[in-house]
Amino acid sequence: MNRYLLTIVCFMFCSMSFAQVVKQGEKFMEVSEVEGKVVFLKEIQLKEGTSERDNYQILREWAKVNYDKDPFRSSVRYDNRNREIIAKSRVELVLPIDTKGVREKMIMRYRINAFLFQGKCVLEVTDIIYLYENTKSDKQPFPRLIRAEDFITDKQLEEIGGHLEFKQNTRKSTFYFLNELSQDLESKFGY
């Protein structure tokens, strides 16, 4: 147990020094990298006047509603001892209309870790991979699977000739989805 807590504390200190930690009520606005991986972190205050056990039950219920319904779309694991959930899922992102008037779609796979720590619920979204399937034509020079690190980071957007608009639209849709997801979790804790 102590080893687990020490690992979490070390991870939190490392993450906070390199990643954007979004506070309650704020939105994701930057793509942060920790040790070369895209990571989104958000801290949400636990419900006041509620025990840690009851707060964990709120987190479990949220995970159950969002990730425990369709085994073909997502999976969730509950760690009751450490008051943590780990979920893997995918979502179809509808990108904004580009300058050609085309609205592309991307499948985004991701992993969520959410746990209670020092009076807060910490939401971590990582392991983001995009699945691009252009059904109209295969003219886009993208691999079928695209890691977020290779597509939506500031460094990738600065590269010349790298389909900037498509990358920007994917980034916008990713932010939109993550902000809606975190806002939904905040509402469960009464904010």
Side-chain angles (χ1 to χ4, degrees):
M1 178 72 172
N2 289 338
R3 183 176 182 197
Y4 180 74
L5 286 175
L6 181 62
T7 303
I8 289 175
V9 170
C10 289
F11 177 75
M12 292 296 291
F13 285 127
C14 292
S15 298
M16 286 184 228
S17 62
F18 298 105
Q20 172 195 20
V21 180
V22 177
K23 303 291 182 192
Q24 180 176 311
E26 295 177 355
K27 294 189 175 203
F28 292 108
M29 303 291 285
E30 297 176 19
V31 177
S32 301
E33 290 185 76
V34 176
E35 296 181 12
K37 292 187 77 168
V38 169
V39 176
F40 294 96
L41 287 170
K42 184 158 196 170
E43 293 179 350
I44 302 167
Q45 290 293 328
L46 296 179
K47 207 170 198 177
E48 290 185 29
T50 307
S51 70
E52 188 172 317
R53 179 183 171 145
D54 291 340
N55 279 310
Y56 177 63
Q57 190 59 35
I58 292 170
L59 180 60
R60 276 183 60 97
E61 288 301 317
W62 176 80
K64 186 176 183 181
V65 167
N66 288 290
Y67 298 104
D68 211 7
K69 288 182 177 179
D70 185 359
F72 296 108
R73 191 183 72 113
S74 61
S75 65
V76 66
R77 183 175 65 87
Y78 305 99
D79 185 348
N80 297 329
R81 196 175 104 224
N82 294 316
R83 303 202 189 298
E84 174 183 25
I85 62 114
I86 299 170
K88 292 182 181 180
S89 188
R90 64 182 173 175
V91 64
E92 183 178 72
L93 299 177
V94 179
L95 307 185
I97 296 173
D98 64 15
T99 53
K100 297 175 186 173
V102 177
R103 179 166 278 206
E104 296 276 358
K105 294 180 182 178
M106 285 281 253
I107 305 290
M108 182 177 90
R109 293 188 327 201
Y110 60 97
R111 175 183 158 163
I112 286 187
N113 296 347
F115 54 91
L116 306 182
F117 183 71
Q118 294 184 344
K120 296 176 185 167
C121 175
V122 179
L123 175 68
E124 174 191 51
V125 181
T126 187
D127 296 340
I128 297 173
I129 296 177
Y130 300 102
L131 173 64
Y132 179 69
E133 294 179 336
N134 188 353
T135 55
K136 297 174 190 164
S137 69
D138 291 327
K139 294 180 182 176
Q140 290 283 7
F142 301 120
R144 190 163 183 259
L145 296 176
I146 309 164
R147 294 180 33 212
E149 295 82 5
D150 300 330
F151 206 66
I152 64 168
T153 61
D154 293 340
K155 179 182 175 187
Q156 292 300 317
L157 293 179
E158 290 171 0
E159 286 187 2
I160 298 171
H163 303 281
L164 181 63
E165 184 180 26
F166 189 64
K167 290 178 180 182
Q168 287 174 332
N169 286 343
T170 302
R171 183 174 165 145
K172 286 177 192 175
S173 291
T174 301
F175 284 148
Y176 179 80
F177 170 74
L178 293 175
N179 287 326
E180 291 293 313
L181 181 74
S182 64
Q183 193 173 29
D184 181 48
L185 181 57
E186 282 184 27
S187 70
K188 299 306 177 201
F189 286 103
Y191 302 105

